[in-house]
Structures are given as structure tokens and as C-alpha cells.
Amino acid sequence: MEQPKRLIDKLEATSMLTKEEWVALIESRNEGVAAYLFEKARKCQYQYYGNRIYTRGLIEFTNYCKNDCYYCGIRRSNRNAKRYRLAKEQILECCQMGYGLGFRTFVLQGGEDGWFTQEKLEDIVCAIKRGYPDCALTLSIGERSKESYQRLFEAGADRYLLRHETADETHYGILHPPELSANHRKQCLWDLKEIGYQTGTGFMVGSPGQTVEHLAEDLLFIRELTPHMVGIGPFVPHHDTPFAAEVGGTVELTLFLIGLLRVMLPKLLLPATTALGTIDPNGREKGVLAGANVVMPNLSPVSVRKKYELYDNKICTGEEAAECQDCLRRRMENIGYKLVVDRGDYCQ
Ligand code: SAH
């Protein structure tokens, strides 16, 4: 048997590879190796989740951000970004519409916006959980103190998404201004896990300066953290950022990494991301067939959709949530999977 296939077998048997083995496996991949990997990935996915695909209703509630990440379209230095915030009532309206469409998880995502104080955030979390006690609530609002995470958890938040972006400190410094660090980001993830959140991390594939060694470090970090969710998607350049002229990540490598993650941690909640759907019209279907089991359609009001522009050409910015949901349902049924009305918790 070829060496890369042997490494995939080892990964399946032990859920662990050394850094050198990760590098060798990623570097020696080809179509045959990918097909071998995806078949195993689908078997793992089927064993724990069947052909069920979980949906999360994404509410992008603010695009104000105090950070200046070089890749991100809503970084504070982007003077061309049209800024907006949703009021609490608007957020609750999104939930109401989403609930009617069958969503049982809401994800509040935004830039790091100080206007939403701890008190305001806790109030919104409480209101959502009061209105929709059978739903899970996920937060994705960046780096905060452990105390803040703790209080939001006590207010009712169930899950938290915070991609580590890259596990390598030097590479982190290529993607972020000096006031941000990989170490602090990782510490936040350990805090979130300790508090009891279902915790999600992740990274961009093909971000500027990323090497195969960095990807190996990402996989080692994820193995160590053993999060409940991992969101990965291709880096897509945004025209108003310092990385406007950089090359984006590929579908091929993103899919391969989704497959590796599914085989390494078979119970993971793994989204087929919007970024993947943006660079390939069938990206999300391909993601599911590589091992993903979650989709995150947009529930934000159509009036603000275009303004939450992290990267260029983001899909689904002109569609009502119901249209997005129908479209995704059809796409999943076409490949033999079904969207379910379910909180979609991590399989214990
Ligand atoms: N402020 C929150 C939410 C960030 S947006 C936080 O700090 O976690 C969610 C994710 O979008 C980011 O973690 C990043 O991985 C991704 N993202 C941002 N800009 C991107 C780009 N240009 N291409 C692809 N993904 C991007």
C-alpha cells in the first residue's frame, strides 16, 4: 500500500500522527489518496450522525470591530465598510423567523464591538434562551476574559466559536497586528472548554504565509484541544484589506483537511462553510461528501447581509433566510443527506 494510505489507516486506528507524518501525508496527497480518505470520513460521519445534516442559523449582529486582522473585511481600518448593529428586537426577530423555519441553534456572530457591553450581551442571551428554551445558543464574538465567558455561560449560552486561525505564533504574526497573539487566542479556547461550553475552533486554509508545517501544527493543536466543533474554510481575499492581492485557498486542500479532521476526531461537528460555497458553486456539497455534517445558513436581515463582508463575493447575501434554507435542503437531498430540525449537539 502507498505510504499516504498507510498514514490514513494509522490516523483512523490511533487518531494521532506526528508532525512529520502530518506533513508527509498532506504533501503526498493526490486524487486516489483523497478518495480513500473521504470514504473513511463518510463512514465515521455515518457511524455517529447518519445522513443527518445539522443547521445553524447565523445572525451577524454587528460589523463594528476594534481589531485589525489583516485578512478581514470588517477590520477597524477599513474605512469603506458600512458599519451596522442590530438592535435586540431585530436579533429576536431573526430568531423568531429562524425558529419557524426549523432552526434549533442560533449563532450570534460579530466583530469585537464594545457597544455591546457585558450587560447588554447577557440581556440578549437571556432573552433568546427565554423565548426559545429548546434551542442552543452559540456565541462567536472573539476574545474576552474568562470571567466574561463564565457570565455569558451562566446567562444561558451553550456553545462558543473562536477559530485559533493558525497555531503557529510566527504565522499568527503575519496575519494579525502585534497586539494579538496565538497564545492568548489559544488560552481563550482552553478557558471556554473549562467553563463547559461546547467549543469550536478552526482556521483558514491557504492564508498568506501558510505552510504545510503550519497545517500540521494546526492539526496537532486541535488534537490536543479536542474541541466539539472545527470550522475551516478557504482564505478568500477581500479587496479593502492588506491581503487584497494575495492568492486564496483551494477547494481541494480544504476538502482534504475536512476529511482528515473527520477521521482524526470522528464525532466532530464540522461545517461545510460559506467560504467553501463561495469559491466553488458546489463547495458545500463537496464538503459534506468529504466529512462535514453542519451547514450555517444566514438569518441576518437581508438589509445588512452585504455589509458583513469578511471576504469578497460572499454567497447568499441577497436571499431571504427561507430561500437559503430551501436551497440548502435541495442541495443536501441531491447528495443523499437531509437537513434536520434538531439542536445538533455533539454526540457524547
Ligand atoms: N470576531 C469573531 C468572529 C470572526 S469572523 C472572532 O474573532 O472570532 C469568523 C471567521 O471568519 C474568522 O474566525 C476567520 O477565520 C474567517 N474570516 C475572516 N476573514 C476571512 C477571509 N478573508 N477569508 C476567509 N475567512 C475569513
Side-chain angles (χ1 to χ4, degrees), residues 211-279:
T211 63
V212 174
E213 283 75 19
H214 295 148
L215 291 172
E217 286 178 48
D218 288 325
L219 291 160
L220 290 171
F221 171 68
I222 291 170
R223 179 63 180 64
E224 192 192 348
L225 180 70
T226 54
H228 306 92
M229 299 170 267
V230 177
I232 64 167
F235 159 69
V236 184
H238 183 289
H239 61 279
D240 278 324
T241 62
F243 291 160
E246 298 289 333
V247 181
T250 65
V251 179
E252 183 270 328
L253 182 54
T254 306
L255 296 176
F256 195 74
L257 288 160
I258 289 176
L260 292 177
L261 286 164
R262 170 62 68 207
V263 174
M264 175 169 76
L265 296 171
K267 294 180 180 178
L268 269 186
L269 295 160
L270 266 176
T273 56
T274 306
L276 187 55
T278 294
I279 62 164

Side-chain angles (χ1 to χ4, degrees), residues 279-340:
I279 62 164
D280 183 320
N282 296 315
R284 285 167 302 176
E285 290 91 323
K286 289 178 185 170
V288 168
L289 293 170
N293 65 335
V294 172
V295 288
M296 298 177 66
N298 205 314
L299 279 184
S300 314
V302 175
S303 58
V304 304
R305 289 272 182 97
K306 189 88 192 87
K307 298 182 188 148
Y308 198 80
E309 193 188 42
L310 306 178
Y311 47 81
D312 287 345
N313 306 316
K314 193 172 155 206
I315 53 170
C316 307
T317 54
E319 285 166 54
E320 291 294 343
E323 292 173 67
C324 280
Q325 176 85 334
D326 284 344
C327 162
L328 268 174
R329 181 173 295 116
R330 258 182 287 117
R331 284 171 180 269
M332 293 301 124
E333 280 170 5
N334 280 339
I335 54 167
Y337 290 78
K338 60 169 195 270
L339 290 190
V340 293

